[in-house]
Amino acid sequence: MTAPVLDRTDRRILEVLQGEAQISNLELADRIGLSPTPCARRVRRLEASGLIRGHVTLLDQQKLGLSLTAFISISMDRHTPDRFDAFEAEVQTYPEVMECSVVTGQNADYLVQAVVPDMAYYERFLLGRLTRIPGVSGVHSSFVLRRVVQRTALPLDHVPAQESGNR
């Protein structure tokens, strides 16, 4: 899939909104040098195009008592569509799972990131739920000791820029 072509104003809107989703349209327009109506129109167009998928509030994991982050490599017994579909449907129902990806280059089929309060909870989550999903044949867990980088904003430098124009 090729990157969309955005002008500098669209890129700036996306950069600002990634850091401050609750910014008012008036402040956003002022920050990027547009009047409010064209700014709002551009944001609506970016939302309609699917580039802006939604707006979220980021919570403090530690203050909520969710002090343990685990990266879990999961191997499946069979590589069949029905086995993968069943696993993926089940793991999507677990609120502890922050991300689940099909991976390659490891001795695993999935890499799951889970957030839990502590090791006792993790043990119950792992043994009582994850390993009971049909087809799970192996699990390897790694735990975050300290975060060095954690971002939510995507890099936009690679997106081709076109000259600004009225859209």
Side-chain angles (χ1 to χ4, degrees):
M1 183 171 182
T2 61
V5 178
L6 304 171
D7 65 23
R8 281 189 216 104
T9 303
D10 287 337
R11 279 180 49 178
R12 184 69 183 125
I13 287 171
L14 294 174
E15 287 168 353
V16 171
L17 287 177
Q18 284 190 100
E20 301 174 63
Q22 286 190 315
I23 190 171
S24 71
N25 182 61
L26 190 60
E27 188 177 344
L28 177 61
D30 185 53
R31 189 119 30 110
I32 62 171
L34 275 182
S35 59
T37 301
C39 181
R41 192 177 309 125
R42 282 176 177 259
V43 170
R44 281 192 304 272
R45 183 178 45 76
L46 290 166
E47 289 170 339
S49 75
L51 282 174
I52 297 175
R53 295 186 330 189
H55 304 272
V56 299
T57 299
L58 300 176
L59 304 178
D60 188 304
Q61 181 179 336
Q62 296 299 319
K63 288 181 180 177
L64 288 169
L66 297 167
S67 58
L68 188 64
T69 299
F71 287 95
I72 311 157
S73 298
I74 297 176
S75 301
M76 301 298 286
D77 62 353
R78 293 194 313 264
H79 295 145
T80 60
D82 61 320
R83 209 43 134 189
F84 277 61
D85 290 346
F87 174 84
E88 292 169 17
E90 180 66 20
V91 81
Q92 286 180 37
T93 68
Y94 298 168
E96 299 88 352
V97 173
M98 304 305 295
E99 189 168 338
C100 176
S101 301
V102 176
V103 295
T104 184
Q106 296 186 24
N107 290 332
D109 299 302
Y110 291 98
L111 182 61
V112 172
Q113 179 184 2
V115 173
V116 296
D118 53 36
M119 192 60 78
Y121 188 104
Y122 179 73
E123 182 181 13
R124 289 189 306 274
F125 172 71
L126 179 70
L127 299 177
R129 292 167 61 202
L130 265 183
T131 58
R132 293 179 187 263
I133 299 173
V136 171
S137 62
V139 174
H140 180 270
S141 302
S142 298
F143 300 96
V144 172
L145 296 177
R146 178 173 53 94
R147 281 191 171 70
V148 177
V149 175
Q150 183 178 26
R151 295 186 181 102
T152 60
L154 296 173
L156 299 176
D157 293 344
H158 76 286
V159 178
Q162 68 181 27
E163 290 302 314
S164 295
N166 291 338
R167 293 198 249 171

